[in-house]
């Protein structure tokens, strides 16, 4: 019997990592402190809202970030920030900005600086995997995913607002049975100091998009179409799903 398609979406949260699995009918959600506790089949693709693949030098940054901003322009493009270069990711917090400027001529945004520990944690984890295992990890930006679910139109309202969350859930509802009931329970499951409501929606969006690709109901697309690689061999590409009509 053919294995049932499963989409896995992950997002960093205040207390670790939020993992959502979706198989077309059921949703499971859990929170991890350590990525080593993920414990998924070795062939399972994982979509995560965190930079994978880091630039080394130069002011141009990653192609995938520039292309993602183009998709989201003119309303949500600022949600795609430029990740720190590899040297800055492994520098101390005090030295990270100066290190990034030295290698790229660019300062780091506060958003970038705040998630450096998460970027470093993921990169360190990925560096410990063999090449096939590394390649089952895909970087996905929730705003790009939702734009493609919305006929390639970026959403107007911020995911931090009630209107923005309603918009995103409405895009997922045709693909997720009993989503409203699940959402009411899911949003109460964790304290907000651990997991924010938009963390749940982002991880679910990635899980649904990944499932649509796994099940043949959508086509995985990449920015850029042919993945670039960083100096360590990690893919530098942001993925999304074009839903089959």
């Amino acid at each position: 019997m053919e294995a049932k398609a499963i989409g896995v979406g992950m997002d960093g949260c205040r207390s670790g990592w939020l993992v959502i699995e979706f198989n077309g009918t059921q949703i499971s959600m859990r929170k991890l402190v350590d990525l080593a506790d993920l414990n998924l089949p070795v062939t399972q693709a994982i979509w995560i809202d965190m930079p994978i693949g880091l630039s080394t030098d130069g002011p141009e940054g990653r192609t995938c970030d520039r292309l993602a901003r183009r998709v989201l322009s003119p309303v949500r493009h600022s949600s795609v920030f430029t990740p720190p270069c590899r040297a800055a990711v492994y520098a101390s917090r005090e030295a990270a900005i100066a290190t990034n400027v030295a290698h790229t001529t660019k300062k780091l945004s506060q958003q970038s600086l705040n998630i450096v520990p998460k970027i470093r944690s993921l990169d360190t984890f990925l560096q410990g995997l063999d090449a096939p295992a590394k390649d089952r990890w895909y970087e996905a930006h929730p705003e790009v995913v939702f734009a493609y679910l919305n006929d390639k139109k970026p959403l107007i309202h911020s995911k931090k607002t009630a209107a923005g969350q309603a918009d995103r859930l409405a895009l997922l509802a045709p693909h997720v049975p009993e989503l409203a009931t699940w959402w009411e329970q899911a949003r109460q499951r964790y304290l907000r100091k651990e997991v924010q409501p938009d963390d749940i929606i982002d991880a679910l969006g990635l899980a649904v998009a990944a499932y649509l690709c796994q099940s043949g109901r959508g086509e995985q697309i990449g920015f850029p179409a042919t993945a670039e690689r960083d100096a360590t061999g990690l893919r530098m590409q942001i993925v999304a799903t074009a839903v089959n009509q």
Side-chain angles (χ1 to χ4, degrees):
M1 181 181 294
E2 186 176 348
K4 191 174 181 66
I6 298 176
V8 179
M10 291 184 62
D11 192 18
C13 59
R14 292 178 178 178
S15 58
W17 303 90
L18 190 67
V19 184
I20 291 183
E21 298 175 52
F22 176 63
N23 66 7
T25 56
Q26 297 176 313
I27 307 169
S28 67
M29 180 172 67
R30 55 194 165 117
K31 183 167 62 69
L32 306 177
V33 174
D34 193 322
L35 288 166
D37 296 328
L38 185 57
N39 193 28
L40 288 171
V42 295
T43 57
Q44 178 65 58
I46 302 156
W47 288 28
I48 187 168
D49 178 19
M50 193 61 57
I52 294 176
L54 302 170
S55 62
T56 303
D57 295 290
E60 65 278 358
R62 306 188 310 167
T63 302
C64 58
D65 299 317
R66 295 195 297 274
L67 294 177
R69 290 190 196 100
R70 191 178 301 170
V71 170
L72 298 175
S73 182
V75 292
R76 300 248 68 85
H77 58 284
S78 62
S79 67
V80 182
F81 62 90
T82 299
C85 68
R86 179 166 293 282
V89 165
Y90 284 91
S92 67
R93 183 178 178 91
E94 295 74 19
I97 293 177
T99 301
N100 206 70
V101 170
H103 284 266
T104 70
T105 74
K106 304 291 185 180
K107 292 184 178 180
L108 292 178
S109 67
Q110 192 61 46
Q111 185 181 15
S112 296
L113 194 59
N114 287 343
I115 69 165
V116 161
K118 282 284 196 299
I119 298 174
R120 183 168 58 240
S121 177
L122 176 59
D123 185 73
T124 300
F125 175 77
L126 294 177
Q127 297 303 332
L129 303 178
D130 60 23
K134 286 179 181 178
D135 272 352
R136 72 190 181 113
W137 289 77
Y138 293 86
E139 178 181 347
H141 195 293
E143 293 302 318
V144 176
V145 165
F146 282 114
Y148 264 75
L149 291 176
N150 192 40
D151 197 27
K152 302 181 183 180
K153 297 189 289 287
L155 300 184
I156 301 299
H157 298 111
S158 166
K159 65 181 183 180
K160 297 291 186 181
T161 66
Q165 291 170 16
D167 288 345
R168 287 157 178 80
L169 290 168
L171 291 170
L172 297 177
H175 309 289
V176 183
E178 305 297 333
L179 176 59
T181 301
W182 180 87
W183 169 244
E184 287 305 315
Q185 297 171 348
R187 64 192 300 199
Q188 304 300 325
R189 184 166 168 184
Y190 300 112
L191 297 174
R192 292 201 176 197
K193 66 181 181 180
E194 298 177 330
V195 178
Q196 293 285 304
D198 57 283
D199 295 331
I200 299 174
I201 293 175
D202 282 351
L204 180 60
L206 268 54
V208 171
Y211 166 77
L212 292 172
C213 292
Q214 294 288 326
S215 64
R217 301 179 190 183
E219 178 184 356
Q220 181 173 309
I221 54 175
F223 304 94
T226 300
E228 297 177 341
R229 300 276 175 169
D230 75 358
T232 72
L234 288 175
R235 183 170 42 224
M236 293 190 292
Q237 182 186 50
I238 292 172
V239 297
T241 300
V243 179
N244 294 334
Q245 302 298 322

